[in-house]
């Protein structure tokens, strides 16, 4: 086989390498996939493969007010987070990319801080702060905390979009009579839109899948899906969760494919 | 205002004042673009953490003291937590290297097309909820889980193996979740290795094994180091998997923080734990950047 | 597209620009006459692009003044300067077709649709791209992209056009063709043009005047022929065309190369060391006997003769080891009469071809 590196390994070793690699890939992907058929099981026992098939766990999911409310809260939070984090992140990325920003390195570090700071600390910190300003168990509080966590991903994705974009285009647009905003909007945005969309998708999934901070600051009316799942997993393993997980996997695959699709066009 | 000596010759240059005012205006406008993000991070992250830090400096009676920090090193349960945490971090990082290196190596050897398909399987888990993946492992590993059922049906074992709700479960679950964080930067660094080096080495008569160990492996080390540091740091603060798969027996740092603050409402002690965790994390990152330069930590945004 | 309505002059005064603490332009002054085609020529890193960016308003100078038609524009944003700009990589908008690219400046000015269509049509005519209005940008050849960029820069009838190495991405034949087209376009439209290149041939072909830049300064600003015939600094002499540099000394009101008197039409400089600059094609082979009181005659030994098709270069060494090159056209039987390597020759330099330059280094 002709490969890029052309590092000759004997066939035996290559076979060995590929076997190990394939097993590791399976280790990464199979556990999540096993959930899918199990969610269609007809029995209360978790079996693989299931002995009988039914949609009862999906019915259980959709008919449970608690699960449904939690899902709606998570969706709301994710949509709002996306709507807040994307423009903030794009604006910051624009400024960081301009080269004329002072302290750009420091600002970049601040904006991406939540990638490095242990999530548990953010959770405890926001809980502590929100307790004083009455934001615990509110959608606002949830969206603000998730926005901070989604921001680095938007900033980094859009910055990488800028990197493969020729800033001379915006310059030329300005010399042709477009103001800075008009040039950005008419010329730059159409060309980095794929990065912006990828960043927005990141923001969405970051919020939707966020567990640790939500454990602390969501509850009551605004219990998120992840928080409810976490509690359910602590107590007992109900096949309803298999149905929910399957839905989440489907959502991941859809968002991931969208991001890949947009990423390719970049 | 902030006139460095180099600014001086321009003083009195034509329009220098207009131009520097204009420059200041632009700098302010750009800062304005960043400010929503900065303000948000300031309120949601910096302010509370600073506050917690402040709290950690006072003991229960409200006196300024180092009691919270002293307890962190003295109290046996805390020390046990640290030991457990580092134990888990080292083993999980080791497992990630053991599994991740061959995988990344294979990916880097595959033709472009096949590699990008395989890469999907590495990246897709990033997009999948940690809870879903942890749930999957619970289903597989628990006492009456799939693995034990199969093994008993096949007659391999007569008693269910204790795989979940213990140390083993935590290791398996965390390795599964953190593995992509190691593979992606490693794969990127392997792809960046210039094939000419390898050809040159082999032209000079080096056998493949020697070429691998003397050329390829050292060149892949920066990527490996980046992955190792990321995985290790994430291990230190990991919460979800140990909480769900440890069965209450494996108490890691983050869980101890959660218990101390939520269960016992001891904010001083919990904050001290958090401050130390943050310091260790930043310290490790700092050492790593110092050793390898800034580029490696950028692998973080790889998701 | 009408002939320029009174193209404005550009008056640049005291421009200084630093990046960090590195000075890139220092106290730069330059006047561009109305309707002039002026070229900034200089080696890489000499600050040509930076100056152009300051003119267009994309880079902010640390100090200085830019007057366009008498109006100070140094603090004006780019979109209010009404300057057409062509970049080296064209910077066409890939998400718009040719028509919309060219119509972009008109759209910004809220030109009515009918007029826009008409003007775009005319601009396409001017750059000879009739019928390509609906093409996507990535379906164009390099030369066509260049023309679209040009049409876009002139469609709104700016009175000033700036171009940064607009032809450097084209291959040689196309580049030479476009040089002529650009030139004739400029003649027809008459806008004040500042053009950047580091190709001296291109500069000489196209420009009314050339400003030679070096290390952030303008070394000399002159018409191409003057620049070539009368370089004022050693840098200019070396950068434009080929030159022989011979170290000479001025004493007792005359110029000396070692013990030999040098005759020159240049005004006598101050006493001290100087450079005598002679273009290779101005060096002649002298008939041995030729006696002439005023010409400079130098005895040399031929080191090598290089045949270059239309011309040849003869490298010779003077008695003290000084190298000197001579170039001539290959007409008639010149080649057969040439001395071979190792043979002695006598070189002749007319006083008006011997240029004296101050020793800078
Ligand atoms: N944004 C910048 N930051 C720092 N230094 C810069 C920047 N832009 C240009 N420079 C420096 O200023 C100097 C002049 O650059 P400029 O681009 O004007 O040169 P140039 O004459 O156009 O060269 P070339 O022929 O290579 O295009 C160079 O030394 C360059 O490194
Ligand atoms: Mg340039």
């Amino acid at each position: 086989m002709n490969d890029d590196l052309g590092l000759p390994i004997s066939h035996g070793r290559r076979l060995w390498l590929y076997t190990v690699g394939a097993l590791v890939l399976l280790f990464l992907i199979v556990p999540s996939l096993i959930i899918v058929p199990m969610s269609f099981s007809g029995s209360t026992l978790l079996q693989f493969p299931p002995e009988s098939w039914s949609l009862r766990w999906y019915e259980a999911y959709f008919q449970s007010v608690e699960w449904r409310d939690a899902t709606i809260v998570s969706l709301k939070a994710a949509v709002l987070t996306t709507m807040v984090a994307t423009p903030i992140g794009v604006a910051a990325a624009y400024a960081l990319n301009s080269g004329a920003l002072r302290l750009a390195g420091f600002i970049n570090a601040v904006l991406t801080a939540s990638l490095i700071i242990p999530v548990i600390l953010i959770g405890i910190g926001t809980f502590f702060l929100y307790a004083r300003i009455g934001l615990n168990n509110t959608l606002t509080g949830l969206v603000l905390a998730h926005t901070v966590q989604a921001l680095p991903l938007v900033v980094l994705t859009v910055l990488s979009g800028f990197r493969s974009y020729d800033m001379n285009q915006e310059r030329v647009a300005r010399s042709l009579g477009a103001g800075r905003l008009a040039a950005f909007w008419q010329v730059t945005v159409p060309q980095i839109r794929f990065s912006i969309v990828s960043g927005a998708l990141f923001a969405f999934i970051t919020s939707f899948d966020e567990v640790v901070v939500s454990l602390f600051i969501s509850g009551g009316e605004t219990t998120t899906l992840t928080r409810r799942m976490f509690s359910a997993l602590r107590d007992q393993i109900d096949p309803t969760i298999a149905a929910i997980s399957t839905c989440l996997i489907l959502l991941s695959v859809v968002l991931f494919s969208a991001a890949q699709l947009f990423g390719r066009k970049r | 205002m902030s006139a460095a000596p180099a600014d001086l010759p321009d003083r009195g240059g034509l329009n220098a004042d207009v131009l520097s005012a204009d420059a200041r205006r632009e700098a302010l406008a750009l800062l304005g673009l960043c400010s929503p993000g900065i303000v948000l991070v300031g309120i949601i992250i910096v302010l509370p953490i600073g506050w917690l830090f402040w709290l950690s400096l006072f003991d229960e009676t409200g006196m300024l003291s180092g009691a919270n920090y002293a307890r962190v090193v003295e109290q046996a349960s805390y020390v046990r937590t640290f030991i457990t945490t580092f134990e888990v971090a080292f083993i999980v990082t080791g497992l990630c290297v053991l599994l991740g290196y061959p995988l990344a190596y294979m990916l880097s050897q595959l033709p472009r097309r096949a590699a990008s398909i395989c890469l999907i399987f590495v990246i897709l888990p990033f997009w999948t909820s940690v809870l879903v993946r942890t749930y999957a492992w619970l289903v597989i590993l628990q006492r009456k889980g799939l693995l034990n059922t199969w093994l008993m049906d096949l007659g391999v074992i007569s008693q269910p193996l204790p795989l979940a709700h213990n140390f083993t479960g935590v290791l398996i679950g965390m390795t599964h979740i953190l593995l992509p964080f190691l593979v992606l930067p490693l794969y990127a660094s392997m792809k960046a290795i210039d094939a000419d080096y390898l050809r040159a080495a082999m032209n000079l008569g080096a056998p493949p094994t020697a070429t691998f160990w003397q050329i390829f492996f050292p060149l892949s080390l920066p990527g490996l180091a980046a992955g190792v540091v990321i995985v290790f740091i994430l291990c230190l603060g990991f919460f979800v998997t140990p909480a769900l798969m440890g069965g209450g027996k494996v108490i890691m740092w983050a869980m101890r923080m959660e218990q101390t603050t939520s269960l016992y409402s001891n904010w001083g002690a919990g904050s001290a734990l958090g401050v130390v965790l943050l310091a260790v994390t930043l310290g490790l990152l700092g050492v790593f950047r110092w050793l390898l330069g800034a580029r490696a930590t950028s692998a973080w945004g790889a998701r | 597209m009408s002939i320029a309505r009174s193209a404005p002059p550009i008056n640049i005064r005291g421009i200084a620009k630093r990046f960090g603490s590195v000075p890139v332009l220092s106290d730069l002054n330059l006047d561009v006459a109305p309707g002039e085609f002026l070229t900034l020529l200089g080696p890489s890193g000499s600050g040509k692009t930076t100056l152009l960016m300051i003119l267009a308003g994309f880079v902010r100078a640390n100090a200085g003044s830019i007057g366009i038609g008498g109006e100070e524009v140094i603090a004006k944003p780019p979109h209010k300067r009404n300057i057409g700009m062509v970049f080296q990589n064209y910077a066409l908008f890939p998400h718009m077709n040719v028509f919309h690219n060219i119509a972009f400046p008109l759209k910004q000015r809220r030109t009515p649709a009918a007029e826009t269509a008409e003007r775009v049509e005319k601009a396409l005519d001017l750059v000879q791209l009739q019928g390509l209005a609906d093409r996507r940008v990535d379906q164009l050849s390099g030369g066509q992209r260049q023309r679209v960029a040009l049409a876009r820069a002139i469609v709104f009838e700016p009175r000033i056009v700036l171009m940064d190495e607009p032809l450097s991405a084209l291959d040689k034949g196309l580049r030479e063709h476009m040089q002529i087209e650009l030139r004739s376009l400029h003649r027809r439209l008459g806008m004040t043009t500042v053009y950047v290149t580091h190709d001296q041939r291109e500069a000489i072909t196209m420009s009314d005047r050339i400003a030679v830049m070096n290390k952030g300064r303008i070394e000399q600003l002159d018409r191409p022929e003057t620049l070539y015939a009368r370089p004022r600094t050693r840098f200019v002499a070396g950068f434009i065309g080929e030159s022989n540099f011979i170290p000479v000394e001025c004493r007792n009101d005359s110029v000396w190369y070692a013990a030999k008197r040098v005759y020159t039409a240049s005004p006598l400089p101050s006493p001290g060391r100087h450079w005598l600059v002679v273009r290779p094609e101005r060096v002649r082979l002298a008939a041995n006997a030729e006696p002439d009181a005023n010409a400079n005659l130098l005895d040399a030994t031929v080191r090598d003769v290089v045949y270059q098709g239309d011309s040849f270069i003869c490298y010779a060494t003077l008695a003290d080891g000084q190298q000197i090159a001579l170039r001539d056209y290959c007409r008639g039987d010149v080649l057969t009469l040439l001395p071979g390597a190792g043979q002695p020759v006598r070189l002749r330099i007319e006083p008006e071809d011997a240029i004296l330059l101050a020793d800078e280094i």
Side-chain angles (χ1 to χ4, degrees), chain A residues 146-189:
Chain A
H146 285 179
T147 299
V148 168
Q149 288 176 283
L151 198 55
L153 298 167
V154 179
V155 170
L156 293 176
T157 315
V158 176
L159 264 182
S160 88
F162 271 124
R163 223 161 282 139
S164 54
Y165 166 68
D166 174 19
M167 257 298 161
N168 273 348
Q169 289 196 25
E170 194 173 307
R171 295 212 179 94
V172 105
R174 288 165 67 198
S175 82
L176 294 173
R180 216 168 175 152
L181 192 63
F184 177 70
W185 195 249
Q186 294 176 37
V187 175
T188 306
V189 168

Side-chain angles (χ1 to χ4, degrees), chain B residues 117-135:
Chain B
I117 291 174
C118 290
L119 216 53
I120 291 178
F121 293 99
V122 184
I123 301 172
L124 190 56
F126 266 128
W127 286 78
T128 315
S129 165
V130 176
L131 283 178
V132 170
R133 295 197 274 158
T134 306
Y135 171 67

Side-chain angles (χ1 to χ4, degrees), chain C residues 303-323:
Chain C
R303 192 159 48 87
D304 200 3
V305 177
V306 180
Y307 173 65
Q308 293 192 320
D310 57 343
S311 62
F312 67 87
I313 302 179
C314 169
Y315 296 101
T317 312
L318 299 184
D320 61 350
Q322 167 74 34
Q323 302 288 327

Side-chain angles (χ1 to χ4, degrees), chain A:
Chain A
M1 176 166 286
N2 278 329
D3 52 55
D4 293 340
L5 285 178
L7 193 63
I9 352 177
S10 65
H11 283 298
R13 285 213 195 151
R14 191 178 283 277
L15 195 66
W16 178 226
L17 174 67
Y18 283 8
T19 312
V20 173
L23 286 177
V24 177
L25 274 183
L26 289 180
F27 168 75
L28 275 174
I29 209 78
V30 164
S32 313
L33 289 186
I34 280 186
I35 302 293
V36 177
M38 285 170 57
S39 70
F40 294 100
S41 161
S43 87
T44 40
L45 290 176
L46 286 164
Q47 299 160 320
F48 187 87
E51 277 160 11
S52 60
W53 303 90
S54 81
L55 288 176
R56 60 186 281 201
W57 303 115
Y58 287 88
E59 281 163 21
Y61 173 29
F62 294 125
Q63 280 168 7
S64 148
V65 179
E66 289 185 340
W67 283 120
R68 208 177 50 211
D69 286 353
T71 310
I72 290 172
V73 168
S74 278
L75 282 174
K76 270 189 195 161
V79 168
L80 288 172
T81 300
T82 309
M83 283 164 48
V84 178
T86 310
I88 292 181
V90 172
Y94 181 87
L96 284 171
N97 184 59
S98 74
L101 187 68
R102 289 192 196 153
L103 302 174
F106 173 74
I107 290 175
N108 198 338
V110 168
L111 293 175
T112 53
S114 68
L115 286 181
I116 293 166
I117 293 175
V119 198
I120 187 79
L121 197 55
I122 301 179
I124 293 178
T126 43
F127 175 73
F128 185 76
L129 175 77
Y130 284 3
R132 271 149 195 78
I133 54 179
L135 276 182
N136 274 329
N137 303 349
T138 65
L139 196 59
T140 316
L142 209 52
V143 170
L144 287 180
H146 285 179
T147 299
V148 168
Q149 288 176 283
L151 198 55
L153 298 167
V154 179
V155 170
L156 293 176
T157 315
V158 176
L159 264 182
S160 88
F162 271 124
R163 223 161 282 139
S164 54
Y165 166 68
D166 174 19
M167 257 298 161
N168 273 348
Q169 289 196 25
E170 194 173 307
R171 295 212 179 94
V172 105
R174 288 165 67 198
S175 82
L176 294 173
R180 216 168 175 152
L181 192 63
F184 177 70
W185 195 249
Q186 294 176 37
V187 175
T188 306
V189 168
Q191 286 174 73
I192 58 165
R193 66 182 189 277
F194 299 120
S195 322
I196 296 179
V197 172
S198 300
L201 292 173
F202 277 135
F204 184 92
I205 200 76
T206 302
S207 165
F208 196 81
D209 283 348
E210 207 290 321
V211 187
V212 179
V213 176
S214 303
L215 275 183
F216 284 92
I217 63 170
S218 89
E221 296 269 280
T222 64
T223 304
T224 63
L225 185 61
T226 47
R227 186 189 164 131
R228 198 163 286 284
M229 276 177 80
F230 187 88
S231 319
L233 286 179
R234 242 181 190 173
D235 303 339
Q236 90 289 2
I237 299 182
D238 176 352
T240 314
I241 297 184
I244 301 173
S245 294
T246 304
C247 293
L248 290 186
I249 291 172
L250 187 67
L251 179 74
S252 314
V253 171
V254 168
L255 291 182
F256 171 76
S257 314
Q260 287 290 303
L261 217 64
F262 283 118
R264 192 137 316 147
K265 285 201 195 143
R266 191 182 288 160

Side-chain angles (χ1 to χ4, degrees), chain C residues 19 24 43-50 165 198:
Chain C
F19 283 113
V24 173
S44 194
S46 55
K48 308 179 296 287
T49 299
T50 306
E165 310 200 21
H198 55 224

Side-chain angles (χ1 to χ4, degrees), chain B residues 7 10 14-15 19 22-23 26, chain C residues 18 60-65 72:
Chain B
D7 280 340
D10 288 343
L14 267 173
N15 295 323
L19 286 164
D22 197 44
E26 187 185 0
Chain C
R18 278 177 280 105
R60 189 183 298 101
N62 296 105
S65 150
E72 174 65 69

